[in-house]
Amino acid sequence: MQAGREELMELIDLWGYSQDAQTKIMEILASEDVPPPHLFRYYGPTDGKGKVYEAEQMFAESLGTEYALAVNSGTSALMSAMVALEVGPGDEVIVPGYTFFASASIVVASRAIPVIAEINDSLNLDPEDVRRKITPQTKAIVVVHMKGMPADMDEIMAIAEEFGLVVVEDTAQAYGASFGGKMCGSIGDVGCFSFDFYKNAQSGEGGFVVTDDEFQYMRASSWHDTAACWRPNRYEKERREGELFCGENYRMSELQGAVAMAQIRKLPAYIGRLKAAKKSVRDRLELPAAMSLRRQPDPDGDASTALVMFGPDADTAVALAKAMGERGVGAGGRFSKDVRDWHVFNFWEHILEQKTVTAEGCPFTCPYYEGTLPDYGPEMCPNTLDLLGRSLHIGVAETWDDAEGERIATAINEAAAEVLG
Ligand SMILES: Cc1ncc(COP(=O)(O)O)c(C=O)c1O
């Protein structure tokens, strides 16, 4: 069945336009006779050159990469990256202990062993702990740029080169961030992005995979659409070894592609507003010696979605959050080890207890795996728990003007003085 005016009106209703506006829009739409849109990204009247295709071109350009593949979520992007880089049975993949669980779960889903590493005071992967956790089985590093902040990419890329490892950049939370003048997501071998509702750019659900490598792009494409609609002739025999294998379906629809295009276009201005807003607070902070700000591995590259500070310990961080709250500034945190949060490894029971989809226990029992399983447990990354336990997180709003920046900074300074003297 065709999707025509009624479907478009449902979208307009989703945006919340008044009944009056909707009636007027319907009248205008009824006055024009246009063919219904084709909402499938591959083939049809647009010959695959529709909104998703355009979004991919725009996305690759915004990242400075050769290729961008649109998919239906950030998790799908990560899974496609594992396939693109041929990560599988027998491999270990290093992931930080602070990230949304998907960065680690896709390692298990690709039948490899996740090795959980510490974060440092940037709240991103700690290169020193990565170095300690490398074994002969290590194949890849998943580095995550949490809350808009670039990770220590120079060190991580140097380690990867030294040990011959591939790097996946989980940039789900940091579209618009950069490191050393390069966009985050374009520095490692494959970059992964989420376009779910909570991200810097969104299409409700969605994601992108970026790479400069044609073979990796082809493998990601093959995995993301097992029907091979992405190929010039989907039924043709394999054009190149490694092109065809059994995959899944992560295709993005034209509906999401259309929204993604507008969001990609708006991103630079949005990040500019976030940076100005964060700076207006940061520049005015006068924190006591017992407090510190989250380290910025590249201050110019911070996408500025969050302002994060550390107290000297978890109890003081709780008192600081309370004092800030009393002054009208909401600071969240992970003060209690008991509040479940799937962004922190100690709640990843799926991995810590080696839960698997079938009774064989793959990949933890995989005969191809010749290493020694990590000693999984809720205390395995104590620095990560310590840093998160005493961190205070304030979400930055693009609407903060200079006066609001001053108000927030004053509240933080007063709260810090009250609690820490
Ligand atoms: C760091 C990180 N990686 C991956 C994902 C997964 O993205 P999606 O929700 O689009 O699957 C998220 C989403 O919250 C995330 O924050």
Side-chain angles (χ1 to χ4, degrees), residues 73-75 78 99-100 102-103 144 146 170 172-173 194 196 199 206:
S73 75
T75 307
L78 287 163
T99 175
F100 179 59
S103 326
V144 188
M146 288 296 278
D170 180 343
Q173 298 192 7
S194 165
D196 79 23
K199 302 303 189 289

Side-chain angles (χ1 to χ4, degrees), residues 114-194:
V115 174
I116 302 167
E118 297 275 20
I119 56 168
N120 62 22
D121 56 354
S122 71
L123 292 192
N124 292 326
L125 192 58
D126 177 2
E128 286 176 30
D129 201 42
V130 169
R131 194 176 271 284
R132 279 192 289 271
K133 292 195 165 144
I134 289 172
T135 74
Q137 279 67 44
T138 311
K139 170 92 179 240
I141 301 170
V142 176
V143 55
V144 188
H145 308 288
M146 288 296 278
K147 295 196 172 182
M149 186 68 79
D152 288 302
M153 288 309 288
D154 275 348
E155 285 92 333
I156 287 168
M157 293 310 291
I159 293 170
E161 193 175 347
E162 185 182 334
F163 291 91
L165 310 176
V166 288
V167 174
V168 174
E169 282 182 86
D170 180 343
T171 320
Q173 298 192 7
Y175 181 30
S178 62
F179 181 88
K182 290 187 86 178
M183 297 304 287
C184 289
S186 72
I187 303 165
D189 296 271
V190 177
C192 299
F193 294 80
S194 165

